[in-house]
Amino acid sequence: MTRPGQDNAATRLARALADNSAIVEREIEGLGELEAQRALFFLLSAYDLATEMWFQKGDPAAPVLTNWERPWRKYGGDNPTTIYLSAPISPAMTYRLQGPIGDAVYAGVQVYTRGAGYNAPSANISDRRLLGDGRDIDLLIGGDDPGDGRPWLPLVADDFLVMVRLYHERAPESEAALSITRTGGADPAPMSWSQRADRAEEYFRDEIQCTISVTETLRSAGVNAYPPPDAPVHQPRYTGALFPTLDNVYDGFYVQLESGAALRLRGRPPQARFWSFVFYDRWFNTPDFPAHRCYLTGADIVLDDDGGYEVILGPDDPGHPNWIDTAGLRDGIFAIRCLLPEQRELPTAEVITAGR
């Protein structure tokens, strides 16, 4: 047992909280109370997610799903109508993922492997391959293909996490009743709490670095407009806490509005299973969306007579049916999500006088 005063897992985790708090404080220096409150929410959300994922539920031999987004916790570009669930896994074991998808318009499962400083998508299954003709997931993960047509995902060396995404047109009112169980494989010694704490510390540090890196990359590529084709917006310096999916296409840019200004977007709906516009603060967290409609899905947007749309984004209510409320923030990130797109085009974006 480590004696008091010696470096141990708890000490390292506490140090990570102090270090990350200092990093976040430097980022918001001089930005005002609203930004300070958003920064506090981000810091503690990241800490809460890291400790639940890798400390409380960090053993791949006894996996438990973590629901990433809660009213009191958001991280990594949350989408208010999407449920994200993840669990640690090991390629030396086999698993079964089960449960109903409710009224989701899409269900997908993505395995992640470790790349050189980032999390790379590995095996993926979605839609009819996953569900057959029903509304329930019953997926085998790892081991050999059962060969009887049942949904199955392989695991290869360095695979370490599985994530479920359930996309809804409206924010779901209840939690997803999904579960994951280990069904076979090597029977390892249980992970110690110290090992789990060290993984939580590593991930917590990655969360902060990733978020700042993504924001800096977007902001340096330009504000209130899409980055040029050669901008390295998809290559931020730190990506160890991000988990992209192969079924989504993302676009967006950094937003910076002067007092009395708003952003106007005009375009035509994509042909996609699901699409949405979301405003995030500088930490890639949505504002309090029950109180502030900071997002619109394709099902929300009111179309013009010619089938196009106009969306207004800003802190001041213009009385427009397609207003995205930034909850008083003038800096943040605008993101477009297109799920399984067949045809898409980016809307035009221009800064206007609010209410114009």
Side-chain angles (χ1 to χ4, degrees):
M1 181 175 177
T2 306
R3 293 191 302 274
Q6 288 186 317
D7 189 49
N8 57 38
T11 301
R12 291 190 292 274
L13 196 53
R15 187 184 304 128
L17 182 57
D19 291 346
N20 283 339
S21 179
I23 292 170
V24 169
E25 284 290 329
R26 287 195 295 271
E27 290 291 312
I28 60 164
E29 188 174 353
L31 294 183
E33 181 60 22
L34 179 56
E35 289 283 8
Q37 292 300 310
R38 295 306 306 168
L40 178 63
F41 182 87
F42 161 68
L43 178 70
L44 295 184
S45 288
Y47 185 83
D48 188 41
L49 178 61
T51 53
E52 180 176 344
M53 280 181 67
W54 298 114
F55 183 71
Q56 298 172 14
K57 302 177 179 179
D59 191 348
V64 181
L65 291 167
T66 293
N67 188 341
W68 278 49
E69 317 297 352
R70 303 284 194 172
W72 61 88
R73 180 179 75 201
K74 303 173 186 181
Y75 178 75
D78 61 290
N79 195 43
T81 67
T82 304
I83 293 174
Y84 304 87
L85 306 166
S86 73
I89 53 172
S90 166
M93 304 174 194
T94 59
Y95 305 90
R96 189 175 185 182
L97 177 72
Q98 295 176 286
I101 68 166
D103 62 355
V105 298
Y106 162 91
V109 181
Q110 177 74 61
V111 174
Y112 293 91
T113 194
R114 298 190 187 279
Y118 63 94
N119 302 313
S122 186
N124 172 279
I125 187 170
S126 61
D127 271 20
R128 297 276 68 82
R129 286 180 56 229
L130 174 62
L131 298 170
D133 295 323
R135 301 289 296 171
D136 286 73
I137 294 174
D138 190 356
L139 174 67
L140 304 178
I141 303 173
D144 297 324
D145 186 342
D148 56 6
R150 284 185 291 173
W152 168 74
L153 278 180
L155 295 179
V156 299
D158 294 328
D159 285 350
F160 73 100
L161 186 119
V162 64
M163 179 171 283
V164 184
R165 288 174 171 85
L166 302 178
Y167 277 77
H168 302 257
E169 291 186 335
R170 301 282 187 269
E173 296 181 357
S174 60
E175 293 193 18
L178 293 173
S179 63
I180 186 170
T181 54
R182 181 167 71 96
T183 57
D187 200 7
M191 289 184 69
S192 71
W193 290 112
S194 293
Q195 288 174 307
R196 297 183 187 205
D198 283 341
R199 293 189 74 179
E201 180 216 348
E202 178 184 10
Y203 189 73
F204 180 41
R205 291 185 183 275
D206 275 345
E207 287 176 300
I208 305 304
Q209 295 286 6
C210 284
T211 302
I212 292 173
S213 179
V214 169
T215 298
E216 288 179 346
T217 303
L218 281 172
R219 188 164 45 206
S220 65
V223 298
N224 302 328
Y226 302 103
D230 59 346
V233 293
H234 299 297
Q235 300 172 358
R237 185 178 174 190
Y238 296 99
T239 55
L242 302 179
F243 294 92
T245 174
L246 297 175
D247 287 344
N248 255 338
V249 177
Y250 303 93
D251 292 288
F253 48 82
Y254 194 82
V255 175
Q256 197 167 60
L257 298 173
E258 299 293 336
S259 178
L263 193 71
R264 180 167 63 195
L265 302 148
R266 285 175 170 167
R268 302 192 70 81
Q271 295 177 21
R273 176 68 56 81
F274 171 95
W275 57 288
S276 68
F277 296 158
V278 184
F279 173 79
Y280 301 100
D281 63 19
R282 67 179 64 240
W283 307 107
F284 244 113
N285 290 169
T286 54
D288 179 13
F289 54 78
H292 302 275
R293 195 175 68 164
C294 58
Y295 70 96
L296 294 170
T297 71
D300 297 323
I301 291 178
V302 178
L303 299 179
D304 302 330
D305 291 340
D306 65 356
Y309 62 78
E310 178 182 75
V311 170
I312 305 297
L313 181 151
D316 304 308
D317 185 355
H320 194 289
N322 295 333
W323 174 44
I324 294 178
D325 182 2
T326 66
L329 294 167
R330 301 191 181 279
D331 273 50
I333 296 166
F334 169 69
I336 304 173
R337 231 180 224 91
C338 281
L339 178 69
L340 298 175
E342 298 177 11
Q343 182 277 330
R344 52 186 278 273
E345 60 183 56
L346 294 178
T348 61
E350 63 175 324
V351 177
I352 62 171
T353 301
R356 196 177 101 191

